[in-house]
Every structure is written in structure tokens, then in C-alpha cells.
Amino acid sequence: DTAVSQTPKYLVTQMGNDKSIKCEQNLGHDTMYWYKQDSKKFLKIMFSYNNKELIINETVPNRFSPKSPDKAHLNLHINSLELGDSAVYFCASSQDRRGGYGYTFGSGTRLTVV
Amino acid sequence: AQTVTQSQPEMSVQEAETVTLSCTYDTSENNYYLFWYKQPPSRQMILVIRQEAYKQQNATENRFSVNFQKAAKSFSLKISDSQLGDTAMYFCAFMKHQGAQKLVFGQGTRLTINP
């Protein structure tokens, strides 16, 4: 039973397309996150939701829109994909918004824009 | 804003040796959390160890231990009796204690354990 599962694991698409990445957690956690890992392996937070409410929204292009239908799901929709969007996107969850016990991460989605 | 610095981009040791990975951070907070995460070639991010800043005692998890020096803002990870499966990227991360928080990561250290 995967604790935090993301789909798809790999995504190859052309510039200008719109794509979505889905994330689900079965840990009963209240808070979920999206992180981006660039080609140099640097990890940076994009968004965080606590029980369906957006609580962290970093400086991210408007083309990126998160959606949380319930506290177990957090999806990421990307419009008009650009070459620079190529990265690994990680979903994560924590027990609560303080996250003091650390995050549980999904296995990542490698997005390649060609 | 908090920053986390890992000054060793790459390290390499022989199997069974002990290795220490460095991490420093910058914050004006008094209470916070520190973490080490491991990312093997499988890409999965795995929590290795966690430290609460208000606890003086250094955290340990089996072969993994930390040296937490609060005044120096240093948080190094020691891996004892290293194994081939320890080969991975290791990330140090910081999180403030209050409110809705985010993990702030360092740049990572690529550790290779050689047979």
C-alpha cells in the first residue's frame, strides 16, 4: 500500500500543451504539498494545502494551478507548458500544517517538455 | 528567509567506513526542526533523521546520527559502517516551528559508497 502515490511517474509532452499530475495519500494526513526538483536536484516548495485550504503559495507562474478536492488528494494542473517546466515534481504530505514530524513524499513525476 | 547550505557537492567512501556530511543553516528563529532526507537513484525521498532544536541530545537512528551545534547553526550527519545501499543524494532541510511551515532544503550532497 503506497502511502503517497503520484500519477503519472513519467510525462513527456510538447510545448504549449496542458497537463495534470495527480496525488493521493492514504495516511490520514491533513496537509499536502507540491515541490519542484530542478535539473541540479534543488528542491523548492510550490504550494501547500491544509484540509482543502491553500496555505502556502510560493512565487510560481499562474500557469500552475493546484486543486484539492479533499484532504487526501492534491492535483497540479499546468497550462501552456514551457521548456523550463521540465523537472521532477514531488507531492508530499504531513500530519498537520506544522509538519514537525517531517513529510512523506511520493515517488515523483518526471516531466519532460519537448 | 531561512537558508540551508551543504558545502560538499560530492563525497565518496569505501564500504564499512564512517562518513560525515556537513550542513549549516541561517535563521533568527530559536525553535525549529532539522531533517536529513535521502534520495537514492530510485528518486524516492526518504526521511533519515529528525532533530528538534530545543532538544540538546543529538538524534540517532541505527547507523545514522547527527551532530547538532545550535550556536554554530550546524547539523552534520554521520553514517557509520556505511553500506552500498547508502549510495544516494542526501539533503539537509530546515523548518520553522510555528504556524504553517515548509521544508527548506539544502543543495544536496551526492554520496557514493564504493565496494
Side-chain angles (χ1 to χ4, degrees):
Chain A
D1 243 9
T2 305
V4 180
S5 58
Q6 294 179 230
T7 52
K9 292 196 184 320
Y10 298 92
L11 189 51
V12 181
T13 187
Q14 290 189 325
M15 276 174 52
N17 283 350
D18 303 338
K19 289 294 177 186
S20 291
I21 306 171
K22 295 188 175 184
C23 180
E24 176 181 4
Q25 55 96 2
N26 63 6
L27 297 166
H29 287 172
D30 285 342
T31 312
M32 296 183 73
Y33 310 83
W34 279 112
Y35 272 77
K36 179 180 180 180
Q37 186 174 42
D38 63 23
S39 58
K40 295 184 179 174
K41 300 290 189 181
F42 187 66
L43 282 145
K44 192 168 190 296
I45 191 167
M46 300 173 70
F47 303 104
S48 174
Y49 272 77
N50 184 71
N51 203 5
K52 302 193 294 177
E53 177 194 359
L54 180 66
I55 56 171
I56 294 176
N57 185 356
E58 293 287 296
T59 308
V60 174
N62 290 339
R63 300 181 295 102
F64 290 79
S65 53
K67 278 197 173 58
S68 181
D70 55 59
K71 76 173 193 177
H73 295 84
L74 179 61
N75 303 322
L76 183 66
H77 188 75
I78 317 170
N79 289 326
S80 304
L81 278 154
E82 300 177 357
L83 293 177
D85 297 332
S86 295
V88 178
Y89 292 84
F90 283 96
C91 177
S93 70
S94 64
Q95 285 187 2
D96 53 40
R97 63 171 61 201
R98 285 170 38 184
Y101 291 99
Y103 299 176
T104 302
F105 282 83
S107 56
T109 296
R110 181 178 292 282
L111 171 65
T112 304
V113 183
V114 297
Chain B
Q2 284 71 33
T3 58
V4 179
T5 302
Q6 295 178 247
S7 57
Q8 304 149 313
E10 294 190 31
M11 295 187 73
S12 178
V13 298
Q14 296 298 119
E15 194 176 5
E17 288 183 349
T18 295
V19 60
T20 299
L21 309 184
S22 301
C23 172
T24 58
Y25 56 94
D26 185 26
T27 185
S28 57
E29 302 287 324
N30 186 50
N31 205 3
Y32 45 86
Y33 302 100
L34 294 162
F35 304 87
W36 279 97
Y37 276 85
K38 166 185 177 180
Q39 186 178 38
S42 67
R43 203 169 70 200
Q44 182 73 48
M45 292 288 290
I46 301 163
L47 177 61
V48 174
I49 203 163
R50 165 185 175 271
Q51 175 83 39
E52 297 179 53
Y54 67 86
K55 288 189 176 175
Q56 297 293 327
Q57 189 173 3
N58 288 324
T60 63
E61 288 287 342
N62 301 314
R63 297 182 295 107
F64 298 86
S65 61
V66 297
N67 183 3
F68 173 47
Q69 301 287 329
K70 191 172 184 180
K73 296 180 183 173
S74 169
F75 184 62
S76 60
L77 175 70
K78 185 171 88 170
I79 306 174
S80 303
D81 185 26
S82 57
Q83 300 174 0
L84 297 179
D86 295 332
T87 292
M89 285 287 291
Y90 285 81
F91 293 94
C92 180
F94 171 98
M95 181 189 297
K96 289 197 290 187
H97 187 263
Q98 293 294 335
Q101 296 308 337
K102 60 186 179 185
L103 270 176
V104 177
F105 286 91
Q107 311 93 315
T109 295
R110 185 179 301 278
L111 175 65
T112 303
I113 310 298
N114 298 308

